[in-house]
């Protein structure tokens, strides 16, 4: 499940965190659970977050991608977008996640793309579309995060 790749943050976001003494790229990861599951964040901004996860190691007893694994990928990507929207003065905390599973996947990588549905002062909602390597939709998810003061 490999090492975490360097996340591509917009330079203005890196500069904003650096002004507070925080090296955002060095600190950022998919978290302990996401790392164990092989989640890789490839692109990150408040407008779009892209990440991948291997199917292998994240399956249920029938050999299909576990729905909970899709939920982990979705919540990770939506939380990153919410965090970047909230900026350095806010902490993003997930308060609602729903996932609809459309098809089973037995191998390869799945890719999730999170885009904002709503970005307010106190909440942010992201739609996350997870697709297989053929571009077929595997899961549609929606995450709402509460933006709390840091």
């Amino acid at each position: 499940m490999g090492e975490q790749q360097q996340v591509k943050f917009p330079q203005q976001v890196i500069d904003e965190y650096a002004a507070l003494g925080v090296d955002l790229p060095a600190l950022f990861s998919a978290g302990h659970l996401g790392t164990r599951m092989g989640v890789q964040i490839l692109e990150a901004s408040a407008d779009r977050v892209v990440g991948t996860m291997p199917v292998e190691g994240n399956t249920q007893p029938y050999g299909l991608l576990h729905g909970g694994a899709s939920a982990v990928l979705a919540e990770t990507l939506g939380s990153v977008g919410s965090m970047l929207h909230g900026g350095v003065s806010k902490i993003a905390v997930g308060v609602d996640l729903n996932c609809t599973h459309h098809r089973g996947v037995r191998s390869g990588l799945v890719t999730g793309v999170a885009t904002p549905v709503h970005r307010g002062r106190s909440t942010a909602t992201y739609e996350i579309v997870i697709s297989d390597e053929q571009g077929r939709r595997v899961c549609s998810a929606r995450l709402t995060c509460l933006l709390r003061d840091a």
Side-chain angles (χ1 to χ4, degrees), residues 42-149:
L42 306 177
E43 175 186 330
S45 73
D47 293 321
R48 178 179 154 97
V49 182
V50 179
T52 62
M53 181 179 66
V55 173
E56 183 178 344
N58 294 314
T59 58
Q60 39 88 315
Y62 296 115
L64 298 170
L65 178 64
H66 196 292
S70 293
V72 168
L73 178 59
E75 185 152 356
T76 299
L77 300 179
S79 293
V80 169
S82 296
M83 176 204 70
L84 292 172
H85 164 65
V88 295
S89 64
K90 300 286 187 176
I91 295 171
V93 180
V95 294
D96 182 65
L97 172 67
N98 74 59
C99 301
T100 301
H101 307 287
H102 304 292
R103 69 172 51 244
V105 181
R106 292 187 179 277
S107 63
L109 282 178
V110 291
T111 300
V113 178
T115 54
V117 174
H118 166 77
R119 290 187 297 186
R121 289 179 302 209
S122 61
T123 62
T125 300
Y126 280 75
E127 176 187 39
I128 304 94
V129 174
I130 300 173
S131 303
D132 65 13
E133 291 179 317
Q134 289 74 42
R136 298 176 297 193
R137 189 178 292 228
V138 172
C139 176
S140 298
R142 189 187 71 238
L143 173 72
T144 297
C145 288
L146 175 66
L147 300 175
R148 298 181 51 193
D149 290 332

